[in-house]
Amino acid sequence: PVGWLTSAEALSAPSPSAVRTVGFSGHAEPYGWAAATMLDGSLLIGDYWNLRVRRFATDGTLIGDFINNPGFSAGQHQAPYGLGVDPVTGDVYMADTDRDTIDKYSPTGQFLFEFGVPGTGASPQLNYASRVAVASDRNVYVIDTWSNAIKVFSPAGAPLVQFGSFGTCDCQVKQPHGAMFDQYDRLWVADTRNHRVQVFDKLGNFLFKFGSKGGNPGQFQGDLRGLTVDR
């Protein structure tokens, strides 16, 4: 409710004074902005604002930090957003979104190399690279949110192709976020600002879509950030 005062009442009203403060600044444990399953079934969680990636057993037991090296030089990351696991080798790709790079790690968490540079053009430029998905051929698909594109790299970090562009029609994405491959190498993408999910083959060809903006069943209202596929 909102109460209204006349000008005279406002002038004569007592000045409010603080009584107490409720709540305080703190950190969650963890900020789970990303998740990926390792080849052994253990789970990686991107602990966004704690600047680390944590590893959990299948029963939820914390194994420890998989990555915990915040910084600004090569091999050091800021806030981990998206995670992808190579289905053959188990290597891990992390979307280091605040630096607009993709960091590659071994299955034991050893830093290997990084690729991508900040920018708004074609690969290897990245503009808020938020998610990573890895196809069966080991190519790496980066969801480059503010470029409205999916950019594809080789396992060595070499740029290959890109697809998707600003718009609302089929084959175009607008600020995409979540992405994952299914067992048929179809890439499912949360097309956030178009309020739908789009599905592509690994060559970038549009296959189908579902969802629309609205509040009824089958429609999306919120800020679509992630999705997963039951293989």
Side-chain angles (χ1 to χ4, degrees):
V2 176
W4 296 92
L5 298 178
T6 66
S7 298
E9 289 173 332
L11 291 173
S12 62
S15 298
S17 59
V19 176
R20 60 181 176 272
T21 299
V22 179
F24 55 90
S25 177
H27 283 292
E29 178 63 36
Y31 290 89
W33 283 34
T37 303
M38 299 290 284
L39 298 187
D40 64 359
S42 60
L43 183 67
L44 297 181
I45 298 293
D47 190 2
Y48 189 75
W49 284 125
N50 288 316
L51 308 180
R52 62 188 177 185
V53 175
R54 314 218 80 185
R55 190 172 189 173
F56 295 86
T58 54
D59 65 358
T61 302
L62 176 63
I63 298 173
D65 287 344
F66 181 75
I67 305 169
N68 192 352
N69 57 349
F72 292 97
S73 61
Q76 296 177 316
H77 67 267
Q78 283 299 291
Y81 201 135
L83 294 167
V85 176
D86 187 311
V88 177
T89 65
D91 291 335
V92 175
Y93 296 89
M94 187 192 78
D96 195 352
T97 305
D98 289 350
R99 297 176 62 240
D100 274 323
T101 63
I102 304 299
D103 300 340
K104 184 175 182 177
Y105 295 85
S106 74
T108 60
Q110 176 186 2
F111 173 75
L112 300 176
F113 58 86
E114 64 183 37
F115 56 90
V117 294
T120 58
S123 299
Q125 294 184 338
L126 298 173
N127 190 16
Y128 205 78
S130 63
R131 304 287 181 175
V132 186
V134 187
S136 62
D137 61 7
R138 303 182 57 220
N139 284 337
V140 183
Y141 290 66
V142 178
I143 308 304
D144 201 24
T145 300
W146 290 345
S147 292
N148 303 298
I150 295 97
K151 299 182 178 181
V152 187
F153 296 82
S154 74
L160 300 176
V161 297
Q162 71 179 56
F163 56 94
S165 60
F166 184 88
T168 57
C169 63
D170 292 346
C171 306
Q172 295 180 318
V173 293
K174 186 176 181 181
Q175 293 184 17
H177 276 281
M180 187 174 181
F181 278 100
D182 64 16
Q183 62 179 325
Y184 305 109
D185 258 352
R186 298 179 299 188
L187 181 66
W188 300 64
V189 178
D191 188 5
T192 306
R193 294 306 176 201
N194 286 326
H195 299 279
R196 64 189 179 186
V197 173
Q198 294 211 63
V199 184
F200 303 87
D201 67 19
K202 66 179 182 180
L203 299 178
N205 296 310
F206 171 77
L207 299 177
F208 62 90
K209 64 180 179 178
F210 61 90
S212 60
K213 186 175 182 180
N216 297 322
Q219 296 180 317
F220 301 116
Q221 296 187 83
D223 188 1
L224 305 181
R225 289 298 178 107
L227 56 81
T228 189
V229 177
D230 186 343
R231 294 179 179 271

